[in-house]
Amino acid sequence: MTVPTTGRRERKKAATRQKIADTALRLFLEHGYDAVGIRDVAAEADVAVTTLFSHFASKEALVFERDDDFEQRLTRAVTDRAPDEPLIPALRREIHALVRHCVADDAAPIWGMIVASPALREYEESMRLRHAQSLAEALIAAPGLSRSATACRTIARFVIDAYALAREAGDPQAAVDEIFEMIEAAWKAAGQAPNGPRNGRSGAGG
Amino acid sequence: MTVPTTGRRERKKAATRQKIADTALRLFLEHGYDAVGIRDVAAEADVAVTTLFSHFASKEALVFERDDDFEQRLTRAVTDRAPDEPLIPALRREIHALVRHCVADDAAPIWGMIVASPALREYEESMRLRHAQSLAEALIAAPGLSRSATACRTIARFVIDAYALAREAGDPQAAVDEIFEMIEAAWKAAGQAPNGPRNGRSGAGG
DNA sequence: TTCAAAACACTAACCGCTAGTGTTAACGTC
DNA sequence: GACGTTAACACTAGCGGTTAGTGTTTTGAA
């Protein structure tokens, strides 16, 4: 028989984690996020409360189970782009894809649940802050951008803002385009800052 | 006897509120935010826990007692500016002042406490979201800007970002200037958006 | 004087979350 | 195959923030 890439233990752990996440999402969508307690989820998934919290850091994390994707996709859009591809269009493409995926019909109930719960909205906001920070680090580390660290951090925030704003807009895809026109202009302006670029070699950058 | 503008009841209420806030801040600074419980604050202020929560919505709100100022100052910077004053420089001045006030020496201990506590940082982040939204509404309602609602919401976020980023920068005042160069460019670009302005009369705006 | 509203208090509890302490199952190794 | 190590899981208790429910007192007004 073939050698499994994962041992039985890891598979069981992943199964338990998935069972908890699935159970939680089902209960949340059935009865509402606030109406379902951690003890309910644990009982329905047939695990102890402590076990639940060994898999998920918080109740909100049960909803945003796959948020690592977001962070990685953004930083990879920076690091893995073609050597001659400008920065901002690459980010714009990625945000377009993320928004599209997020506004898709199958994600609508989950998104509605998040919007309806202040706790979940706040949690997502702090998630976005983390994403902006890791994107900022990727930008600062990227070669050839010729922008200051402050400019990189600023653009990172702006890009995350674009994602958040677009999702709330009537026409999300059009909003992405409109906001990225502004981001493009901001990025160009940062290249002409009086204090000058401090990151990488000289050049137009991006 | 003269008619007091505020009755005894209102004065007593304000006094109780202030006593709670002062006691809380003192205890937080003495022993650390996480080391002081709500029950400690209530006991020290000589009120019941329920009374404390009738004055403040949460433990974090005890620290950000005066956040209404922030919101009002920003929106007033938009609505109360001279009729011919461009928008972005007015906002830049206000952010400069707010950052200066926030980095001042007497606010340093409080700021350090906030940075040291994840709960407080998260709370402040959600506060900023509210501020961005009210600023966005002020921008959308402002006459003569000739920008789309999406552009207004975007610039509002960018301005709040500038505040947050500048405070974390090595030279906050310089960071405000650098970021506002980018914001100015973004604002101008929004005036030339292909979908065109939808808000207010035609004109350069800002 | 009387009344309604509002501030305040007290009890009791809910809820998210964690520490401490096992118990069981899987893996590596001899 | 026995053995020790590790990690997943369970259970009890409890902490800290927050609220509901139920009065009691103060205050401003009729």
Side-chain angles (χ1 to χ4, degrees), chain A residues 7-66:
Chain A
R8 187 169 312 161
R9 185 148 62 186
E10 296 168 55
R11 262 180 290 126
K12 280 201 171 183
K13 178 175 181 176
T16 300
R17 179 192 160 91
Q18 200 57 44
K19 184 179 183 184
I20 294 171
D22 292 347
T23 303
L25 199 56
R26 178 170 58 80
L27 291 181
F28 290 160
L29 290 175
E30 277 177 9
H31 308 103
Y33 179 78
D34 291 325
V36 178
I38 283 290
R39 292 162 176 89
D40 300 328
V41 176
E44 185 84 5
D46 199 27
V47 296
V49 171
T50 47
T51 300
L52 187 154
F53 278 111
S54 74
H55 285 275
F56 299 92
S58 67
K59 185 187 181 186
E60 294 90 33
L62 287 165
V63 176
F64 297 98
E65 192 206 353
R66 300 297 313 155

Side-chain angles (χ1 to χ4, degrees), chain B residues 1-11:
Chain B
M1 74 199 296
T2 63
V3 178
T5 56
T6 64
R8 187 170 310 161
R9 182 148 65 187
E10 296 168 52
R11 264 182 287 127

